[in-house]
């Protein structure tokens, strides 16, 4: 299901101030219950709740080329993280890039997002953990 982009600055600010946070080496994830989700659901042709996703990449990361590349990497990592399990709907999800994000790849970002979503309890059915064969 396609997510809706967060376009309003006040929603980013609410997520930063009031949302739950999970930090990683390359990204920080903020999660906040979306109180406008019902209105979005009624506008959706499928009449389902959706998440609103926002990507935040500061100018400290670099020029426009580096920022756009970082956003592309984060989007690819997010799609890989979604394959791990189905995310709960009706939330504002803000993913803020850190300074090391442009040098990373989508697999590293995906593993951080999976860890963050597990920490924030965002998966509907908890993904199965892989058994280690260390014994």
């Amino acid at each position: 299901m396609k997510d809706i982009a967060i376009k309003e600055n006040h929603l980013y600010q609410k997520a930063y101030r009031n949302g739950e946070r999970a930090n990683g080496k390359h990204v920080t994830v903020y999660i906040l219950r979306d109180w406008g989700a019902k209105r979005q659901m009624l506008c959706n042709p499928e009449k389902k709740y959706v998440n609103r996703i926002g990507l935040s990449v500061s100018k400290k990361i670099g020029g426009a080329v580096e920022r756009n590349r970082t956003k592309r990497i984060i989007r690819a990592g997010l799609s890989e993280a979604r394959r791990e399990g189905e995310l709960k709907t009706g939330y504002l999800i803000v993913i803020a890039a850190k300074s090391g994000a442009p040098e990373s790849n989508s697999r590293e970002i995906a593993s951080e997002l999976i860890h963050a979503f597990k920490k924030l309890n965002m998966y509907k059915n908890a993904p199965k953990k892989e058994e280690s064969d260390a014994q």
Side-chain angles (χ1 to χ4, degrees), residues 2-135:
K2 186 167 183 169
D3 293 316
I4 299 171
I6 298 176
K7 295 178 183 162
E8 299 90 7
N9 185 37
H10 69 94
L11 294 176
Y12 281 96
Q13 297 304 319
K14 283 181 184 178
Y16 291 143
R17 256 186 267 118
N18 304 328
E20 295 180 51
R21 177 178 61 193
N23 290 315
K25 185 177 177 184
H26 304 296
V27 293
T28 301
V29 179
Y30 298 89
I31 303 289
L32 181 66
R33 173 59 91 179
D34 187 6
W35 296 110
K38 180 144 180 132
R39 185 176 57 244
Q40 296 288 333
M41 185 262 302
L42 294 173
C43 295
N44 186 357
E46 297 174 1
K47 302 297 182 213
K48 293 182 180 177
Y49 285 100
V50 294
N51 289 326
R52 292 200 268 177
I53 305 275
L55 300 179
S56 175
V57 182
S58 113
K59 287 187 177 181
K60 292 178 184 177
I61 298 292
V65 174
E66 289 86 6
R67 291 195 307 270
N68 287 329
R69 180 179 185 282
T70 303
K71 287 185 216 174
R72 248 188 350 262
I73 291 170
I74 292 173
R75 282 189 202 106
L78 182 61
S79 68
E80 287 182 35
R82 282 199 179 127
R83 289 188 207 117
E84 185 75 17
E86 188 176 356
L87 291 176
K88 294 179 182 177
T89 55
Y91 287 88
L92 295 173
I93 301 172
V94 176
I95 302 170
K98 290 186 176 180
S99 61
E103 290 83 28
S104 65
N105 59 32
S106 62
R107 281 187 224 112
E108 293 172 1
I109 300 288
S111 66
E112 285 188 22
L113 290 175
I114 289 168
H115 180 357
F117 289 148
K118 285 180 183 176
K119 181 180 175 186
L120 297 170
N121 196 21
M122 279 298 293
Y123 286 115
K124 284 185 180 179
N125 301 324
K128 297 173 187 166
K129 293 184 178 180
E130 296 178 11
E131 298 284 329
S132 63
D133 295 323
Q135 296 176 349

